[in-house]
Amino acid sequence: MVSPLCSSTSRSSLSSFSSVVRSSTARCRFPIVGAICVLTFGFSNFYTPSKTCLAHSLSSSLIRSKEQSRSFNSIKMAATSNTVPSIVVYVTVPNKEAGKKLAASIVKERLAACVNRVPGIESVYEWNGEIQTDSEELLIIKTRESLLDALTEHVKVNHEYEVPEVIAMPITGGNAPYLEWLKNSTRD
């Protein structure tokens, strides 16, 4: 019979993972995944006397890590007044020539500081009820968040697709001189 994933509630503290394993009050059989987590992250990150279930403790630990990471990135972006809220935008194009032309027009109009062209991607998608597979090029565009609407309109006007891809993601931190250059290389 398999025992539940939860550890003993009678212990107020644990000094080490080995004492838990040897303890007669700890009736928890860790599955392989749990054992790997404990070995990777350390038992002290998962065990708290008030939270007896390993899975609950694991999720709480991961949530705290994500919150700390987000607050660090926010502080990092707010630490300099020489930057602006910035984004990375993905746009796919059908070929190299279309990519060169669109990338050049975006930079020329100061809608972005930089456009990377990534050749050789293959897109699989559904269009008009059929699965399509196309070779494309991906444009990775770095710009100000405030220019997203203007950039989207520029892409729609200058793109040969009926519905061009324009997907934006926030830049939460990075090399401050690069982010300053991004600001200075784009229009207000």
Side-chain angles (χ1 to χ4, degrees), residues 73-114:
N73 288 334
S74 298
I75 292 167
K76 184 136 176 101
M77 280 301 294
T80 176
S81 62
N82 298 327
T83 63
V84 293
S86 302
I87 56 176
V88 173
V89 180
Y90 290 155
V91 174
T92 52
V93 292
N95 55 51
K96 182 178 182 177
E97 294 74 32
K100 280 183 171 182
K101 184 179 175 184
L102 186 57
S105 69
I106 289 168
V107 173
K108 182 179 179 184
E109 293 293 320
R110 296 178 57 87
L111 291 169
C114 176

Side-chain angles (χ1 to χ4, degrees), residues 108-178:
K108 182 179 179 184
E109 293 293 320
R110 296 178 57 87
L111 291 169
C114 176
V115 179
N116 302 115
R117 294 181 25 252
V118 182
I121 66 164
E122 186 173 287
S123 296
V124 179
Y125 57 96
E126 183 180 339
W127 187 252
N128 293 329
E130 295 182 27
I131 301 297
Q132 306 288 323
T133 302
D134 289 322
S135 294
E136 293 183 301
E137 187 169 284
L138 176 64
L139 303 182
I140 304 172
I141 304 165
K142 279 78 70 180
T143 189
R144 296 173 181 229
E145 185 179 299
S146 62
L147 292 174
L148 179 58
D149 290 340
L151 175 63
T152 301
E153 283 306 310
H154 182 86
V155 169
K156 287 165 60 175
V157 168
N158 294 285
H159 205 290
E160 59 188 78
Y161 289 168
E162 185 180 334
V163 181
E165 172 186 1
V166 180
I167 298 173
M169 293 175 287
I171 297 173
T172 60
N175 181 11
Y178 181 87

Side-chain angles (χ1 to χ4, degrees), residues 13-70:
S13 66
L14 294 174
S15 60
S16 70
F17 177 71
S18 61
S19 67
V20 172
V21 173
R22 287 190 306 262
S23 170
S24 62
T25 59
R27 299 184 189 273
C28 181
R29 291 185 191 168
F30 292 102
I32 292 175
V33 174
I36 291 171
C37 289
V38 168
L39 292 173
T40 303
F41 300 113
F43 189 79
S44 62
N45 290 337
F46 302 112
Y47 178 79
T48 57
S50 63
K51 296 176 186 167
T52 58
C53 186
L54 179 62
H56 179 53
S57 298
L58 173 60
S59 65
S60 297
S61 177
L62 293 174
I63 289 169
R64 280 193 304 273
S65 295
K66 285 181 182 180
E67 288 171 355
Q68 289 168 347
S69 176
R70 275 193 218 118

Side-chain angles (χ1 to χ4, degrees), residues 171-186:
I171 297 173
T172 60
N175 181 11
Y178 181 87
L179 296 172
E180 290 173 24
W181 171 80
L182 187 154
K183 175 188 174 187
N184 296 330
S185 299
T186 52

